[in-house]
């Protein structure tokens, strides 16, 4: 059962992030947005989900080889989820702030997203007490 809990946790994080993004994309369509903002959100989430799943997979291999304990694995998965969520949230907030602060279409959100993601990464690392892998 423990083996399945880590897989379930991974999919729970993925589903929550994708649900949040689909609501955002739907809202941007209703607001008459060009759709680029929604695409940026999907790309940000897809990248974070990929990185999160890669880190979980790497840690799962270490668990299977006996290099880390079950408790260490759970701790690493939880910290990876927190870091991924912080990075994705930072990118979204940065994109919105960039759109408010810069009058250049497309560039404003992209720059804000990059800066926001980095800030989110720093916050995520601070909260979890770890550096990026």
């Amino acid at each position: 059962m423990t083996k399945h809990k880590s897989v379930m946790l991974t999919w729970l994080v993925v589903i929550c992030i994708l649900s949040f993004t689909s609501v955002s994309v739907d809202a941007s369509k209703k607001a008459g947005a060009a759709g680029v903002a929604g695409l940026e959100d999907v790309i940000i989430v897809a990248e974070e989900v990929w990185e999160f799943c890669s880190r979980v997979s790497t840690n799962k291999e270490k668990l299977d080889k006996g290099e880390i304990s079950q408790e260490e694995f759970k701790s690493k998965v939880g910290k990876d989820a927190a870091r991924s969520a912080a990075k994705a949230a930072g990118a979204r907030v940065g994109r919105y702030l960039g759109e408010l602060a810069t009058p250049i279409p497309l560039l404003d959100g992209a720059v804000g997203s990059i800066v926001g993601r980095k800030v989110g990464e720093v916050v995520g690392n601070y909260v979890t007490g770890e550096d990026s892998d």
Side-chain angles (χ1 to χ4, degrees):
M1 184 67 176
T2 307
K3 183 177 181 181
H4 297 292
K5 286 182 183 178
S6 63
V7 174
M8 289 172 31
L9 176 62
T10 301
W11 281 110
L12 178 63
V13 170
V14 169
I15 290 167
C16 288
I17 292 173
L18 291 176
S19 297
F20 183 63
T21 300
S22 68
V23 169
S24 173
V25 171
D26 190 43
S28 69
K29 286 180 186 175
K30 289 179 181 174
V36 175
L39 181 60
E40 287 177 2
D41 285 343
V42 170
I43 292 169
I44 289 167
V45 170
E47 183 178 7
E48 283 310 314
V49 167
W50 177 262
E51 287 181 16
F52 174 75
C53 290
S54 296
R55 288 191 299 261
V56 170
S57 177
T58 300
N59 288 325
K60 179 70 171 108
E61 288 174 7
K62 289 179 181 179
L63 175 67
D64 291 342
K65 291 178 183 177
E67 296 174 7
I68 61 174
S69 69
Q70 184 70 29
E71 292 304 314
E72 288 174 309
F73 175 74
K74 289 178 185 178
S75 174
K76 287 179 181 287
V77 169
K79 290 178 179 182
D80 287 340
R83 287 192 345 226
S84 291
K87 285 168 54 177
R92 291 179 56 94
V93 170
R95 182 175 60 89
Y96 292 126
L97 292 177
E99 289 173 354
L100 292 173
T102 310
I104 303 169
L106 298 177
L107 182 62
D108 53 2
V111 171
S113 179
I114 292 167
V115 172
R117 185 167 190 244
K118 189 62 182 170
V119 170
E121 182 178 1
V122 170
V123 169
N125 289 338
Y126 176 76
V127 169
T128 61
E130 291 188 8
D131 292 328
S132 292
D133 292 335

